[in-house]
Amino acid sequence: MPKATQLSFLGIAKETTPGTPVASTQFIPVTQITPKDSLTLLDDKGYRGALVDVYDQVAGPLSGTLDFDGDVYPDTIGFPLAGVLADVVTSGASAPYTHVFSVLNTGNGQPTSYTLNDQYVAGNRQYPGAKFSEVGFKFTADGLLTYSAKTTTFGSVAATAPTASWTSVPPMVGWQGVAQIAGVTQAGVIDGEVTIKRPVTVINSVDGTQAPVQLWSGPVSVDGKATLIMEDDTALTQYLTTAKPSVDFNFSAGAGASAVQLKFHMSKCSLSAADITRGKDYIEIPITFTALANTTDVGASGGYSPIKVTVQNAVTSGTYK
């Protein structure tokens, strides 16, 4: 019998030892889950007096990936942010707590690893050692704030399906956001994107196991886009003069203990395009930008960071990292 896609779910938990799977402690509502075990098959091509090419294939190293997409829920979005940026500072004695994410620049700079749990109805598998290589956000004025996340993992293992529990906090909506460029509020932002990338290298070792010896997270980069209603030459001038303005997208809702927020702050951005566009009944100017490393957007570990992301919710300290 076929299995219903809608019965799938995704779980996540911090690991104590990277690559050693642990049971899910949180569950993330998602709209897509794409798991993949990447088994290297090594060809046996030794000549045997026959006009053939491959006689056998033997198992080489094994790793995996698990990508997922979804709407932004302000309580669970902290996991991919902590996974890609790694410096997490939490403040507040009670809800709402404020979590600030920046690039970790102390120690070996490595983020926390996670076990991802893919319940796909026909079975259930854990993907341990997960390191986030990309988290991309998109928003429009008439839609939900969405994201996509990519991870590199150790090879999956079969496990008993956990009992899921779900957030009661609603997803964030695009119109709840306020955009600023160079500290000036932009009333005419139609849509936008922010993408945080961090390469993850699979390091295999001659150590008697198929699994990687390390999944190594590299340097962080951030870029983005925004489509503006063109009311004047401000954005075009910033591009032509290489002004490097700050860019902020701040989404918030609720009040008191129920207040939630997701804010992207990039103190120094280089605009790489600002094109006058006449595809609609009004003129737009789409811009693209790269967030540049600076000493303002850093966290507790200091150094440089191209972005500071603030999340406000009822989640206590120590949950994400």
Side-chain angles (χ1 to χ4, degrees), residues 98-308:
T98 299
H99 314 272
V100 179
F101 303 84
S102 300
V103 175
L104 179 66
N105 291 308
T106 53
N108 62 15
Q110 292 300 291
T112 297
S113 65
Y114 302 89
T115 295
L116 296 171
N117 187 96
D118 179 20
Q119 161 59 25
Y120 52 95
V121 189
N124 184 83
R125 301 192 75 83
Q126 292 175 326
Y127 287 76
K131 292 284 193 75
F132 284 85
S133 60
E134 182 175 320
V135 185
F137 296 85
K138 294 183 179 182
F139 61 87
T140 62
D142 54 0
L144 296 174
L145 180 58
T146 65
Y147 75 100
S148 60
K150 298 180 179 180
T151 71
T152 300
T153 74
F154 283 53
S156 71
V157 293
T160 302
T163 300
S165 58
W166 302 103
T167 176
S168 60
V169 180
M172 305 201 78
V173 183
W175 64 259
Q176 294 173 329
V178 174
Q180 290 185 324
I181 299 177
V184 178
T185 299
Q186 306 292 310
V189 174
I190 305 299
D191 55 44
E193 300 180 18
V194 176
T195 303
I196 307 170
K197 296 181 180 180
R198 184 167 199 173
V200 176
T201 302
V202 178
I203 304 177
N204 294 308
S205 175
V206 182
D207 59 0
T209 67
Q210 269 187 299
V213 67
Q214 182 80 51
L215 299 179
W216 188 258
S217 298
V220 174
S221 63
V222 179
D223 55 42
K225 301 177 181 179
T227 303
L228 314 178
I229 297 171
M230 190 172 188
E231 298 178 327
D232 55 39
D233 273 352
T234 300
L236 180 60
T237 300
Q238 289 168 337
Y239 164 59
L240 293 173
T241 60
T242 60
K244 297 182 178 62
S246 60
V247 176
D248 291 85
F249 301 120
N250 186 12
F251 302 85
S252 60
S258 299
V260 293
Q261 179 188 38
L262 175 62
K263 179 181 180 180
F264 304 95
H265 175 69
M266 294 154 280
S267 291
K268 185 180 180 183
C269 293
S270 175
L271 274 61
S272 56
D275 303 324
I276 300 171
T277 304
R278 296 179 174 87
K280 298 178 181 177
D281 292 337
Y282 54 90
I283 299 174
E284 296 178 328
I285 182 163
I287 63 171
T288 60
F289 61 86
T290 298
L292 304 175
N294 62 86
T295 57
T296 301
D297 297 340
V298 298
S301 61
Y304 286 77
S305 178
I307 191 170
K308 178 182 289 185

Side-chain angles (χ1 to χ4, degrees), residues 73-95:
Y73 294 83
D75 51 356
T76 56
I77 196 60
F79 286 103
L81 286 170
V84 74
L85 292 172
D87 187 317
V88 184
V89 177
T90 300
S91 59
S94 60

